[in-house]
Amino acid sequence: MIWKTFGWSFGVTAAGLAAALIFWGWEALAVVAILSILEISLSFDNAVVNAGVLKRMNEFWQRIFLTIGILIAVFGMRLVFPVAIVSITASLGPIEAVELALDDPDQYEQLVTDAHPSIAAFGGMFLLMIFLNFIFQEREHRWIGWLERPLAKLGRIDGFAVGVALAALLLTATTVATSAYQHGGAHLDKSDTVLLSGVAGVLTYLLVGGLSGYFEHRLEEGEERAAEEEEAAKRAGKEPTAVGLAGRAAFFLFLYLEVLDASFSFDGVIGAFAITNHIFWMAIGLGVGAMYVRSITIYLVRQGTLDDYRYLEHGAHYAIGALAVLLLISIRWHLHEVVTGLFGVTLIGLSFWSSVRANRIDAANEASGGGGDGQEQSEVRSGV
């Protein structure tokens, strides 16, 4: 199972490290290894959330996510994205931007850093919308009951999550963005840029998420029929066939996953400049990390980890919310990538511990003949 799931990641790691050593030497090898670890640590919460979406797709679309999706993630976000930033902000062609990255890496880094406010606003608002839509929904299990219970009630108000997100954006644009961090420690007023980019992030979430939700709704009748067939198969003593989302619904969920991955990768790409401004070292290191994120996602889906550890998805979404806030804060104050990485790892670790504790209590109750798996007991078992 491990080799089948992580085989490609192991192969890409070996090839990437070998290429770094052969073409650039031991320093490049060390930098690529560090960047790979950085990307994995920053994006583990991404893998957990991806798994929650991916498990709803059929096997075909899961393979698409691992093939075409990884090409988009590695070459699109880790190589093309930094070049595109420079091309747009400096009004250069893609080839000129690559030449600038190779010939004058310091100037290249400056242009990317100066574009950070718009990147952080877009990515921060997209991630914030994901967190808000999760936290404002009623769920079978609550990890932090005293907080999630009243928020779920507020979520019944139409458009409440969008209203909170836009209020956060307005606050950011009128306070944090008035003195945005620039290369070399300078600060400029980027209110208009942040406001525009943030609105684009919200609209992107609404568009992609809305389309996927629309087509999911169209397939509800088909899913209900499939569920009836599964029940009939069970009664007949046959093994039911699990069928995931396919067609247009899966396609738009795939788009949603790619935009989600792009938003998560903003932090890794920007943070990588704290280690190196060599475009190819960065692409290899972050690309290797992205491969492991994909493999971890598939592993979580195939092992049913999200079902076994009920609060893991909660922890990942809280990590998303923290990352969204940190991205918005980073518009003005430069934050070290270790800070964002520790937030995510800590929250997921706590949710994992709470899940293990809840499972042990469930097992003890079953052994002693105790009953009750209600919502109130679920909150007590979480230990949060």
Side-chain angles (χ1 to χ4, degrees):
M1 177 65 181
I2 294 296
W3 179 255
K4 181 179 179 181
T5 305
F6 289 89
W8 278 102
S9 297
F10 296 152
V12 170
T13 301
L17 293 176
L21 178 62
I22 293 171
F23 291 105
W24 297 288
W26 290 102
E27 180 184 358
L29 176 67
V31 170
V32 166
I34 292 171
L35 287 173
S36 301
I37 297 171
L38 170 69
E39 177 70 7
I40 295 171
S41 64
L42 289 177
S43 299
F44 186 80
D45 46 358
N46 186 9
V48 176
V49 176
N50 282 352
V53 179
L54 196 65
K55 69 180 182 180
R56 296 151 62 189
M57 298 181 180
N58 63 13
E59 186 176 350
F60 169 78
W61 280 99
Q62 290 182 6
R63 287 199 302 269
I64 292 294
F65 178 73
L66 269 181
T67 52
I68 297 176
I70 195 61
L71 291 176
I72 296 173
V74 174
F75 295 102
M77 289 307 303
R78 275 72 180 183
L79 181 60
V80 177
F81 175 64
V83 174
I85 292 175
V86 175
S87 297
I88 295 171
T89 57
S91 299
L92 297 174
I95 296 177
E96 293 174 303
V98 173
E99 291 176 348
L100 178 65
L102 297 175
D103 299 335
D104 193 352
D106 292 333
Q107 176 68 14
Y108 175 81
E109 178 184 355
Q110 177 179 342
L111 291 172
V112 174
T113 303
D114 290 347
H116 176 71
S118 59
I119 299 169
F122 179 91
M125 293 309 300
F126 185 89
L127 295 177
L128 183 61
M129 283 297 301
I130 294 172
F131 168 71
L132 293 176
N133 275 284
F134 178 87
I135 202 67
F136 286 142
Q137 286 185 5
E138 289 281 358
R139 300 195 172 274
E140 179 183 359
H141 301 292
R142 298 191 185 108
W143 184 32
I144 308 177
W146 61 267
L147 175 63
E148 295 172 12
R149 193 181 303 109
L151 290 179
K153 293 179 180 179
L154 289 174
R156 298 171 186 170
I157 303 173
D158 290 339
F160 191 76
V162 177
V164 172
L166 292 178
L169 175 60
L170 184 61
L171 179 65
T172 302
T174 55
T175 56
V176 176
T178 56
S179 182
Y181 178 84
Q182 299 287 275
H183 184 77
H187 290 80
L188 297 175
D189 187 349
K190 294 282 186 176
S191 301
D192 294 341
T193 300
V194 166
L195 192 60
L196 181 62
S197 300
V199 170
V202 174
L203 290 177
T204 301
Y205 174 85
L206 294 176
L207 177 63
V208 178
L211 286 173
S212 62
Y214 169 74
F215 286 110
E216 279 185 77
H217 181 72
R218 292 284 300 271
L219 290 177
E220 280 184 358
E221 293 183 359
E223 289 178 334
E224 290 176 1
R225 287 195 297 269
E228 292 174 358
E229 292 174 1
E230 286 185 12
E231 288 297 326
K234 289 180 181 178
R235 288 194 295 268
K238 299 178 180 179
E239 184 69 23
T241 301
V243 179
L245 287 178
R248 288 177 293 183
F251 172 71
F252 282 105
L253 278 178
F254 171 76
L255 291 182
Y256 175 79
L257 278 174
E258 292 307 314
V259 177
L260 176 63
D261 178 77
S263 298
F264 271 101
S265 68
F266 292 153
D267 187 59
V269 171
I270 298 300
F273 281 101
I275 299 173
T276 182
N277 51 20
H278 194 293
I279 184 174
F280 292 117
W281 297 4
M282 191 184 303
I284 294 173
L286 297 181
V288 168
M291 282 294 300
Y292 280 98
V293 172
R294 283 296 196 278
S295 296
I296 292 171
T297 298
I298 291 295
Y299 182 82
L300 292 175
V301 172
R302 292 176 177 171
Q303 293 293 105
T305 305
L306 297 184
D307 295 327
D308 295 337
Y309 301 96
R310 67 196 72 174
Y311 304 120
L312 197 58
E313 196 168 1
H314 290 72
H317 279 86
Y318 278 104
I320 286 177
L323 178 57
V325 173
L326 291 173
L327 276 173
L328 296 177
I329 291 175
S330 70
I331 293 173
R332 183 167 185 169
W333 293 282
H334 179 66
L335 301 177
H336 198 280
E337 60 275 1
V338 172
V339 175
T340 57
L342 285 177
F343 263 97
V345 171
T346 301
L347 287 168
I348 291 176
L350 288 173
S351 65
F352 178 79
W353 175 82
S354 296
S355 300
V356 171
R357 184 171 180 270
N359 289 340
R360 288 176 179 172
I361 294 176
D362 282 348
N365 287 339
E366 290 179 5
S368 62
D373 265 342
Q375 177 67 60
E376 298 298 328
Q377 292 181 341
S378 174
E379 294 175 19
V380 172
R381 287 194 299 266
S382 73
V384 180

